[in-house]
Amino acid sequence: MVDDKLAREEAQRAANYETAKAVAQDEVDHEIAAETRRSSAAQSEQVEDIARGMKQKVVSEVGETEREVGRARVVARISQVVDYVFFLIYGLLAIRLLLELFGARESAGFVKFVKSATGLVYAPFQGIVPSPTTPEGFTLALPVIVAIVVYMIFHLAINGLLRMVAHRKTEV
């Protein structure tokens, strides 16, 4: 009978070992699961913080882009008006140049209209350089040519300034 008792004890010890092993395994599994939940919660919080930051950055960039587009539209409209005004000045000065070049009669209504329309923009350049005249009365009005060149440079400078305002960079 001694042998039977020894076998039972050995079986009991093996069963106790398996039970202790299972309990230890369960405890380890629970600890791993808890740690996973803790790190997942911490990581999830970090992910949420990063996502919130990225969303705020995107929203602010979209807002800034909309402001830039709006400013560019306004500046483009101003540039169109400036172009129109300068093209009118160029056209009227060119007509004045041609009328003087061809010796148009000063008493003609159209000549009076063109001279009165260009009087204000031509006045600073009148007499700046001599205008060669032929005996037949044809005149090359060099001050008109100087005025056109100066207004072209002024026009380019204004458009360059408007482009700088429209396309300014706020961030590098």
Side-chain angles (χ1 to χ4, degrees), residues 68-86:
E68 295 249 348
V69 167
R71 183 177 56 239
R73 283 185 183 140
V74 169
V75 171
R77 183 62 64 192
I78 292 170
S79 179
Q80 289 174 340
V81 170
V82 167
D83 288 345
Y84 182 75
V85 168
F86 274 100

Side-chain angles (χ1 to χ4, degrees), residues 113-130:
F113 167 74
V114 170
K115 287 198 175 204
S116 67
T118 59
L120 187 60
V121 294
Y122 177 66
F125 304 98
Q126 195 168 5
I128 198 167
V129 291

Side-chain angles (χ1 to χ4, degrees), residues 7-47:
R8 276 185 283 141
E9 285 177 0
E10 189 61 34
Q12 185 64 34
R13 212 178 12 244
N16 289 342
Y17 172 76
E18 288 300 321
T19 303
K21 183 177 164 186
V23 168
Q25 184 67 37
D26 283 345
E27 287 177 7
V28 169
D29 287 345
H30 287 302
E31 285 180 29
I32 290 173
E35 185 63 31
T36 302
R37 282 191 294 274
R38 274 194 302 266
S39 65
S40 291
Q43 287 175 346
S44 179
E45 189 175 315
Q46 284 179 331
V47 168

